Amino acid sequence: MKASMSEGAAALSVEGLVKRFGKRKALRGISFRVEGGDFIGLLGPNGAGKTTTIKILTGLIKPTEGGVRYYGRDFAAHPREAKRFIGMVPQQSNLDRDLTAYENLYLHTILHGIPKPARKERIEEALEFAGLTEYRDRQVKTFSGGMRRRLVIVRALLHEPRILFLDEPTVGLDPQIRRTLWDLILKVNQVKGTAILLTTHYIEEAEKLCGRVLIINKGRIIAEGPPDDLKREIGRYVLEIFLEDRIEEEFFPSRDEALERLKECDHSCKVREVTLEDVFLRLTGRRINV
Amino acid sequence: MFNGFKGVLYRELSVYRKRARKQILASSLSPLLYLIAFGWSLGRGVSVDGLPYISFLIPGLITMSSLNQSYGIAQELNITRFYFHVFDEYLIAPISHAEIVLGEAAYGMFKGLLSTVLIFVYAVLFGVKLILTPVFFVAILLHTFLFAALGITVAMLVRDHGTQATVNTFVITPMIFLSGTFFPVDKLPYIFKVLVYALPLTYSTKVIRASLTGGAVNLFFVLLLVIFAVLFFTSALWAVRRVEA
Ligand SMILES: Nc1ncnc2c1ncn2[C@@H]1O[C@H](COP(=O)(O)OP(=O)(O)O)[C@@H](O)[C@H]1O
Ligand SMILES: [Mg+2]
């Protein structure tokens, strides 16, 4: 693409982001990298700083300290250049309720400078991809939550971004609709090759979708790696011992070892696979979802 | 080029198209009431500044009505920004802030000019002769632009709906009543005169009235309108930038 972007540089590199809202510190030094085609999850409880991070990465707010680089180029210095190849699905739908699905997409093609002759085809493709072809001329205010979410996702893809940010894309949706949305997002990553950074506080979502997870808590990334590695670090299996007043947990590298220990257990006990929730609990002493 | 400008205008006009009939109907009522109450009934046989009162009133209604429409985009901007977050779609696109401001301002001007046309229709119906000169077109463009830009500034600065309403009550409404729309500002007590001569509406009303009724246009006032336009465009740009704090 542009000669000015250094080859070899990460698609996105984030260096020491700090964000202060008045006295409150929402981010306390966030650093990570995203390579082309990655599927990364930013997993953490409510208020951890996920939305703040995404807003900084897409230029909606400015960091107090720290920097963001896309393909080696400073985002603050060249925002318009970077905005051409990033896409954003906000936590709260920012579709225009008074416009139809088609008009919402058309607006996006204008704002992103997609040439007129290409617009119609791209929009129709997007509607097809989202399964919304028959609703193209309906006003968005008549759409269900799941339909809106699908529309926002394909809208963000119209200009063929190389990195797509999704902020809690399935929050507030039925489990079944959540699954269809997961399929859609996976398809974007695998078929289109778009790198994805998704935030979530759903353990299952992070484990199912993400190649790499960044666990965020109170404005800091406290662990990072593929979900399996993170889990292996504390042990793949957990033995839960149900005591009178609490649950005690013991971790084991293999199922057999856990079962061995289960035999000598004189309370009611259960062996199960470790989840990222256990990882979080181990690191912070708290659960992600309370 | 100008993708931001075109996009913003496309959005605003697409939404407007769906409400056009209701909006035009609503905005045509109040000037008609003013015309009947003040122009026809109260002002019959009265002359002001050497003009029949209704001829004096019509240019005032033009500036008042177009100001309401152009500045009125603040209300819409406020809703789309705070409740529906539509504004974020602009901020995330590779477009400049100036394009956003100009796109919104163009929409405000469009609405202001539409209401101007409407008053012209009333003028014909009420048998009032108006003279159209190039100065009038320059003045009405400046007038609608500067109040649209003021509307954008206010909409970006306020934190919520209530603050917006307060600004309207304490700044916009008094300005509309005192700036020579319904009576000559020279009739005001001294202290108010000082006040209204700080307000842009005073100058746009003077210029527009003079140009439409064949009076002498003070070009210095036109220059002042240009200065206000630049000032409010700058403040709107600054206010949009500030959103990304
Ligand atoms: N505009 C704001 N003003 C003040 N505090 C904010 C603002 N936005 C977020 N915060 C605070 O920053 C922290 C992180 O918020 P956020 O990024 O929204 O978390 P998450 O998306 O992980 O739930 C929270 O404590 C939140 O209250
Ligand atoms: Mg959030």
Side-chain angles (χ1 to χ4, degrees):
Chain A
M1 149 129 205
K2 292 242 169 68
S4 55
M5 298 188 315
S6 33
E7 294 300 314
L12 164 62
S13 73
V14 180
E15 207 60 61
L17 286 188
V18 171
K19 179 67 187 180
R20 236 178 260 122
F21 291 109
K23 278 204 185 109
R24 162 181 271 145
K25 260 192 174 175
L27 301 183
R28 298 161 180 271
I30 299 266
S31 306
F32 62 90
R33 288 157 73 90
V34 177
E35 307 288 345
D38 273 358
F39 198 131
I40 294 180
L42 193 58
L43 173 70
N46 274 326
K50 303 182 295 294
T51 298
T52 305
T53 305
I54 297 277
K55 282 189 173 171
I56 290 173
L57 298 183
T58 52
L60 289 177
I61 56 175
K62 294 197 166 65
T64 313
E65 285 169 36
V68 176
R69 288 177 172 275
Y70 285 101
Y71 298 94
R73 293 268 277 179
D74 184 29
F75 184 37
H78 309 277
R80 285 172 75 176
E81 191 182 309
K83 283 174 178 178
R84 276 182 238 286
F85 50 77
I86 61 178
M88 153 84 142
V89 177
Q91 185 167 354
Q92 229 176 341
S93 153
N94 63 350
L95 291 164
D96 211 309
R97 299 157 40 92
D98 295 321
L99 298 186
T100 64
Y102 192 92
E103 288 168 332
N104 266 290
L105 298 179
Y106 196 81
L107 170 61
H108 192 91
T109 64
I110 302 176
L111 291 172
H112 287 263
I114 295 168
K116 213 166 192 171
R119 285 179 196 164
K120 194 159 175 280
E121 200 186 317
R122 284 240 203 141
I123 293 172
E124 277 163 4
E125 227 173 86
L127 287 166
E128 188 70 40
F129 198 72
L132 291 171
T133 303
E134 53 187 309
Y135 302 99
R136 51 173 276 166
D137 295 321
R138 289 248 205 111
Q139 286 191 347
V140 166
K141 64 175 112 179
T142 67
F143 282 20
S144 70
M147 288 162 79
R148 283 180 204 200
R149 220 60 73 94
R150 291 194 321 258
L151 186 59
V152 185
I153 292 175
V154 297
R155 180 183 66 176
L157 293 169
L158 277 173
H159 59 286
E160 301 182 328
R162 288 191 270 164
I163 307 175
L164 179 66
F165 298 99
L166 298 128
D167 195 6
E168 310 241 14
T170 67
V171 83
L173 297 179
D174 296 342
Q176 200 191 334
I177 295 169
R178 177 172 300 161
R179 267 162 231 286
T180 61
L181 222 58
W182 285 352
D183 290 342
L184 183 75
I185 298 168
L186 277 173
K187 212 160 84 181
V188 171
N189 180 243
Q190 280 154 17
V191 179
K192 297 185 194 273
T194 313
I196 288 185
L197 177 66
L198 161 154
T199 80
T200 184
H201 64 269
Y202 295 121
I203 306 297
E204 200 191 351
E205 187 160 286
E207 292 190 346
K208 274 248 164 59
L209 300 176
C210 303
R212 193 152 59 91
V213 172
L214 314 171
I215 298 182
I216 182 172
N217 186 43
K218 295 185 179 157
R220 279 204 185 85
I221 291 175
I222 53 172
E224 167 172 6
D228 282 344
D229 291 5
L230 289 171
K231 290 191 271 186
R232 199 174 307 126
E233 274 169 34
I234 64 166
R236 288 230 44 124
Y237 290 87
V238 59
L239 173 73
E240 289 177 313
I241 308 166
F242 299 93
L243 302 174
E244 242 88 285
D245 53 341
R246 65 199 157 89
I247 305 170
E248 211 172 80
E249 289 171 327
E250 290 179 21
F251 296 91
F252 299 92
S254 72
R255 186 175 198 99
D256 290 344
E257 283 164 271
L259 289 173
E260 201 60 37
R261 172 78 177 83
L262 178 70
K263 283 181 197 151
E264 44 195 83
C265 190
D266 44 10
H267 286 85
S268 98
C269 291
K270 188 179 140 199
V271 171
R272 61 169 175 79
E273 278 190 59
V274 159
T275 68
L276 288 175
E277 179 88 60
D278 300 307
V279 176
F280 189 82
L281 186 67
R282 195 67 182 279
L283 290 166
T284 65
R286 294 194 304 142
R287 300 195 157 269
I288 289 186
N289 298 296
V290 243
Chain B
M1 274 297 269
F2 309 122
N3 295 328
F5 177 78
K6 282 185 264 183
V8 172
L9 206 51
Y10 168 80
R11 187 264 161 189
E12 296 296 4
L13 292 181
S14 301
V15 174
Y16 184 79
R17 209 156 36 92
K18 295 172 196 194
R19 308 184 189 140
R21 208 176 311 175
K22 227 192 268 173
Q23 286 233 352
I24 291 173
L25 220 60
S27 69
S28 62
L29 187 61
S30 86
L32 184 63
L33 294 178
Y34 280 114
L35 269 177
I36 293 171
F38 299 139
W40 234 5
S41 316
L42 192 69
R44 191 173 296 230
V46 176
S47 72
V48 179
D49 284 356
L51 293 168
Y53 183 64
I54 196 157
S55 302
F56 177 90
L57 178 64
I58 289 241
L61 286 180
I62 286 178
T63 54
M64 176 192 87
S65 196
S66 57
L67 181 154
N68 270 331
Q69 292 296 316
S70 299
Y71 172 82
I73 61 169
Q75 203 76 9
E76 299 172 39
L77 268 171
N78 212 283
I79 295 170
T80 55
R81 184 177 154 220
F82 287 113
Y83 292 91
F84 303 129
H85 307 275
V86 172
F87 212 74
D88 288 356
E89 172 74 351
Y90 302 152
L91 295 179
I92 207 160
I95 58 174
S96 69
H97 293 144
E99 288 182 78
I100 300 177
V101 171
L102 289 174
E104 295 292 358
Y107 171 57
M109 291 171 79
F110 162 78
K111 287 184 72 178
L113 294 174
L114 212 61
S115 69
T116 303
V117 171
L118 196 88
I119 311 277
F120 276 124
V121 172
Y122 286 150
V124 172
L125 292 179
F126 281 74
V128 176
K129 273 223 185 68
L130 299 171
I131 309 155
L132 288 176
T133 58
V135 178
F136 167 75
F137 290 102
V138 171
I140 194 78
L141 288 175
L142 282 169
H143 168 80
T144 49
F145 176 82
L146 76 90
F147 282 109
L150 179 65
I152 298 166
T153 308
V154 173
M156 292 298 127
L157 289 183
V158 299
R159 289 257 161 240
D160 53 56
H161 235 49
T163 323
Q164 175 92 55
T166 309
V167 174
N168 295 352
T169 311
F170 288 99
V171 181
I172 304 301
T173 308
M175 175 167 74
I176 286 177
F177 274 90
L178 299 179
S179 296
T181 42
F182 301 122
F183 54 86
V185 287
D186 311 305
K187 295 236 156 75
L188 283 168
Y190 180 74
I191 181 87
F192 282 104
K193 226 187 293 190
V194 173
L195 189 72
V196 299
Y197 274 110
L199 301 173
L201 180 59
T202 306
Y203 302 104
S204 53
T205 303
K206 272 182 181 288
V207 170
I208 284 170
R209 178 171 291 131
S211 73
L212 286 175
T213 57
V217 171
N218 187 335
L219 287 180
F220 175 65
F221 292 168
V222 179
L223 179 68
L224 283 178
L225 291 179
V226 173
I227 292 171
F228 274 113
V230 172
L231 204 68
F232 291 154
F233 173 70
T234 312
S235 67
L237 203 55
W238 167 79
V240 169
R241 283 216 177 101
R242 226 184 62 119
V243 170
E244 300 176 2

